[in-house]
Amino acid sequence: MQPAAGPGLGASALQRYLDGDLWSLRNELRRLLGGCPLFRHRYDLSLDEMRALTFQRVKFTMGLPLLKRAIQGQAEKMKNFVSRSLVIGEFLSVADMATGVKCEIIDWLFGGVARSLGSPDHVAKWLQPLQEQKYTGMFAVTERGRGSKVRGIQTAATFDLSAQVRILSIVAQSLCENAEKVCIGNAMHGDCAVVFAQLIINGRSQGLHCFIVPRDENGSLYPGVTVIDMMYKEGLHGVDNEILVFDKVQVPRENLLDRFGSVAPDGQYHSPREESERLSAVLAVLTPSRLAVTLQAMGAMTLGLMIAIYYSHSRRQFGPKAKEEVRITEHQTQTLQLMPHLAMALALTFVSRCAGVLLDEDIFYGKELVGSRPLQALVAGLKACSTWENVNCLQDCPECTGVMGYMMENISGLKCDTDVFVTFEGDNVVMLQSVGDKLRTSFLASDVDSVGKLAFLLKAVNFRERVLQRGLVARIYYKVVSKKEESFSAWNACLHHAASLSLAHIHRGQLAPLSLAVKNCSDQEDQALLMKFCLLYGTKLVFQEQAWYLEHKYLTQASVRIRSQLLDLCDSVKDDALRVISALAFYPAPPQPLAREAARSQRREPAAKL
């Protein structure tokens, strides 16, 4: 996975611009992780050995001063801690996806929930000690019978007054097989789990709450906790996923994260919010981790593109008769497969950065995320779009590199590790439904000025979003008011329309920041280059919905020009792709696998390795 030195590798004005304000942090991560022997890829290990190696990598990573500062920043809600943590997670995932995922579980999921749902005492007790690696955390929400529908979780946590002689306690119970917590990452090495369960007091459910279930002082599981290893998966073999079963597990009352709901010693429940508001507030804390998944998917996609683009510029095949064969990047089908993905990677770079800044501002100024419905919609949609794009990109990249692309050390390993992202932090289809639900009453308005030739494309994607939004509201109104249908049936009958609206909303939300980034680029040469990719991305958005635009008479003869423009733009950027992908590169020299290293050294190296 190590491209040979070539045009664009190393620091450049374009790389500095794409790195953004946190370029110094990115350079520090390149220095720390780029050549670290611990992160050399291994494919000759058993499952237990792979997990042990990942655990070593996590310990090394958590011990880095910059990660300790990131955890401290999260505990104290320092300015820009979200953006800095997202960059760290992105780089870790490119170095080793399993390490990045485990660190996300410990930092964003366990630590983030403790910070967002706990009191200052909870933060001091459970979050700050992560800096000294006194323990690591787990995140237990998904159940065998419940995934994205968190409201219906069946694990019960019953307040127990009978134990008041020594300590008031809450008893966690998996009431049936469907209530078992599944796919719990870091469960072998984790010392504490944040467990989502229905809080029951005097026989009445108070709704979803979160509890800390730790190991005891000897590091053993609490009595009544059973851990079942889920063993082999498609990828992420370094992440130990287990099933957690609770059987009358007693935890102290103080382990209830009580920012939105608390229980007094006498069993009286108090909450400043109604149950539906509490649920929304609890689910809103997942917003930063969903954005983290977006950056992890973007990192995998960028690395896959780096391999495929370098290969395309070094491999030659076919050409004019009696003349030298041409590079495969000269073939139209090759550029048509790869260049739109590269344009999408650029769009994701800027829109995810904007979302991170918005999250930073909300958290720093004490604004609750539950009140930022447009931001939640943007992040949920980005998570769905980016992970689906990653799946498609990492399918196209090996196809564009031949059999070498299917080596685990090249693109196949990335694909196996990231396919599951479409279900991380919420199923993608459900994410789009949540975006559509928010767009029934509001949407993110673009205040970005049109940029030259982008005016038509920006207006087109804006037109599609507005028409779909009006159509969704009209359909639901007709079904509920005129036909007197039950609200769920009306919404369920409109899910396809809602998903289309959600995608249109996110596509418009990606094109606008990219066009703004082009406008703000001070280097004229880089600005012209980014403009071509911005035009390519906008053209792709219109082209893939060409039938819809024709149906709504937005395109007439322009439909032919859109197709020609897409092909022309793919051709025009193919020679610039090396420069752009090098500027997006996380490391000058990505870690090379140990497997077959000796065999490689005995044969002539190609101009660019996969």
Side-chain angles (χ1 to χ4, degrees):
M1 251 182 340
Q2 179 180 357
L9 273 180
S12 66
L14 180 60
Q15 183 183 63
R16 169 67 187 272
Y17 185 65
L18 295 180
D19 280 352
D21 294 337
L22 297 178
W23 62 272
S24 59
L25 173 61
R26 289 175 174 271
N27 280 340
E28 185 178 1
L29 287 164
R30 289 182 179 107
R31 179 182 62 81
L32 289 171
L33 301 176
C36 181
L38 186 61
F39 285 90
R40 293 170 71 90
H41 289 196
R42 298 290 300 271
Y43 300 98
D44 56 339
L45 303 178
S46 67
L47 181 62
D48 289 340
E49 290 171 334
M50 192 69 245
R51 288 174 171 179
L53 176 59
T54 303
F55 182 65
Q56 291 179 26
R57 290 169 173 169
V58 170
K59 287 193 67 175
F60 167 81
T61 301
M62 297 291 288
L64 293 174
L66 61 84
L67 200 70
K68 290 184 176 182
R69 291 196 299 269
I71 296 174
Q72 184 66 28
Q74 183 177 185
E76 298 178 5
K77 299 182 182 179
M78 295 179 180
K79 195 169 185 179
N80 297 330
F81 88 83
V82 173
S83 296
R84 295 181 65 85
S85 297
L86 289 171
V87 169
I88 293 171
E90 184 182 15
F91 270 75
L92 282 176
S93 297
V94 173
D96 177 61
M97 194 60 67
T99 302
V101 168
K102 288 196 70 162
C103 287
E104 181 196 351
I105 293 169
I106 296 168
D107 186 12
W108 274 122
L109 294 177
F110 178 86
V113 168
R115 173 187 59 78
S116 301
L117 300 183
S119 65
D121 290 340
H122 287 129
V123 172
K125 181 176 181 179
W126 301 111
L127 180 57
Q128 290 180 339
L130 287 178
Q131 286 181 281
E132 286 75 41
Q133 298 190 61
K134 292 182 178 179
Y135 61 83
T136 60
M138 298 169 272
F139 180 75
V141 59
T142 303
E143 296 178 350
R144 191 184 298 274
R146 283 291 185 273
S148 298
K149 187 184 177 183
V150 181
R151 183 193 296 270
I153 276 177
Q154 293 179 281
T155 300
T158 304
F159 187 72
D160 181 18
L161 275 171
S162 64
Q164 60 183 336
V165 175
R166 291 189 299 109
I167 185 169
L168 295 168
S169 66
I170 292 172
V171 181
Q173 178 78 27
S174 299
L175 299 177
C176 60
E177 186 175 294
N178 280 340
E180 296 173 355
K181 301 293 186 182
V182 297
C183 298
I184 308 306
N186 196 42
M188 283 182 61
H189 299 105
D191 302 293
C192 307
V194 287
V195 178
F196 287 77
Q198 305 289 346
L199 176 61
I200 298 175
I201 301 177
N202 296 325
R204 179 187 174 188
S205 175
Q206 299 295 338
L208 192 69
H209 288 69
C210 192
F211 308 84
I212 301 289
V213 180
R215 294 179 184 264
D216 64 21
E217 60 273 10
N218 298 318
S220 301
L221 295 171
Y222 258 35
V225 178
T226 301
V227 177
I228 304 170
D229 195 345
M230 296 185 72
M231 299 298 288
Y232 294 94
K233 311 180 294 291
E234 177 191 9
L236 294 176
H237 298 303
V239 179
D240 42 311
N241 290 101
E242 275 75 37
I243 299 171
L244 294 183
V245 183
F246 303 105
D247 182 17
K248 299 178 182 178
V249 179
Q250 289 193 333
V251 294
R253 178 178 59 90
E254 290 76 12
N255 285 24
L256 166 65
L257 299 180
D258 57 3
R259 181 181 176 187
F260 298 120
S262 60
V263 182
D266 62 356
Q268 293 297 312
Y269 179 78
H270 172 74
S271 175
R273 301 169 184 261
E274 296 295 326
E275 182 178 342
S276 60
E277 294 176 341
R278 286 199 306 271
L279 179 65
S280 297
V282 169
L283 296 182
V285 305
L286 297 177
T287 302
S289 60
R290 284 173 179 161
L291 188 57
V293 174
T294 295
L295 269 73
Q296 288 175 321
M298 188 173 72
M301 185 171 69
T302 302
L303 186 53
L305 283 170
M306 186 177 185
I307 296 169
I309 289 172
Y310 267 85
Y311 182 86
S312 299
H313 278 76
S314 64
R315 174 74 181 272
R316 292 180 178 271
Q317 188 163 271
F318 304 116
K321 189 174 182 179
K323 291 186 179 180
E324 184 181 14
E325 292 186 317
V326 301
R327 297 173 303 166
I328 59 175
T329 192
E330 301 294 335
H331 298 300
Q332 186 184 70
T333 51
Q334 188 85 352
T335 58
L336 190 57
Q337 276 189 284
L338 295 178
M339 295 305 105
H341 291 308
L342 183 54
M344 175 68 160
L346 285 169
L348 284 171
T349 296
F350 292 107
V351 70
S352 60
R353 189 172 299 160
C354 290
V357 170
L358 292 173
L359 277 172
D360 268 319
E361 291 177 352
D362 281 359
I363 294 174
F364 181 73
Y365 290 109
K367 183 178 179 181
E368 291 186 2
L369 295 178
V370 68
S372 302
R373 290 174 64 86
L375 180 56
Q376 288 185 62
L378 173 64
V379 172
L382 283 177
K383 185 266 171 184
C385 285
S386 63
T387 53
W388 270 329
E389 177 71 13
N390 174 70
V391 169
N392 294 331
C393 178
L394 294 184
Q395 178 62 37
D396 287 339
C397 286
E399 291 182 12
C400 289
T401 54
V403 66
M404 292 300 293
Y406 290 93
M407 301 289 288
M408 286 298 293
E409 65 193 86
N410 295 324
I411 301 169
S412 282
L414 287 171
K415 191 174 189 305
C416 289
D417 283 344
T418 58
D419 272 353
V420 71
F421 283 2
V422 298
T423 68
F424 270 18
E425 310 304 323
D427 177 83
N428 279 1
V429 175
V430 176
M431 290 295 96
L432 291 186
Q433 291 179 29
S434 69
V435 176
D437 184 48
K438 292 177 175 65
L439 291 175
R440 285 189 292 180
T441 55
S442 65
F443 63 94
L444 286 173
S446 173
D447 58 0
V448 179
D449 293 333
S450 297
V451 185
K453 295 179 181 179
L454 282 174
F456 169 79
L457 299 172
L458 286 165
K459 289 178 180 177
V461 295
N462 190 56
F463 170 78
R464 174 170 163 78
E465 180 189 9
R466 288 178 178 274
V467 170
L468 288 172
Q469 185 182 28
R470 288 196 298 266
L472 178 62
V473 173
R475 288 177 186 220
I476 294 176
Y477 181 87
Y478 172 72
K479 290 178 179 294
V480 173
V481 177
S482 301
K483 297 183 68 176
K484 307 299 182 183
E485 291 186 15
E486 193 268 336
S487 59
F488 173 79
S489 298
W491 174 246
N492 193 49
C494 296
L495 285 184
H496 182 267
H497 192 104
S500 297
L501 168 61
S502 302
L503 289 172
H505 173 69
I506 298 304
H507 289 157
R508 195 264 308 150
Q510 288 172 328
L511 184 60
L514 179 57
S515 66
L516 183 61
V518 173
K519 182 180 179 181
N520 291 339
C521 184
S522 58
D523 186 290
Q524 290 187 353
E525 184 180 355
D526 290 343
Q527 185 184 54
L529 175 59
L530 292 174
M531 173 63 82
K532 289 195 291 185
F533 278 97
C534 190
L535 282 169
L536 172 57
Y537 181 60
T539 302
K540 174 203 170 189
L541 294 180
V542 176
F543 177 76
Q544 69 187 16
E545 299 297 343
Q546 186 176 197
W548 185 91
Y549 284 107
L550 286 169
E551 178 185 346
H552 289 78
K553 296 180 172 56
Y554 197 87
L555 289 178
T556 53
Q557 296 300 318
S559 62
V560 178
R561 294 199 297 274
I562 285 291
R563 180 178 180 276
S564 298
Q565 181 170 307
L566 178 65
L567 295 172
D568 291 343
L569 285 168
C570 286
D571 182 68
S572 70
V573 300
K574 67 178 186 294
D575 292 331
D576 298 312
L578 278 175
R579 182 176 163 210
V580 173
I581 199 64
S582 297
L584 282 172
F586 296 89
Y587 311 110
Q592 186 177 355
L594 288 177
R596 292 177 298 284
E597 184 175 11
R600 261 204 202 106
S601 65
Q602 297 173 7
R603 63 174 183 261
R604 187 170 61 90
E605 295 292 303
K609 293 181 188 174
L610 281 177

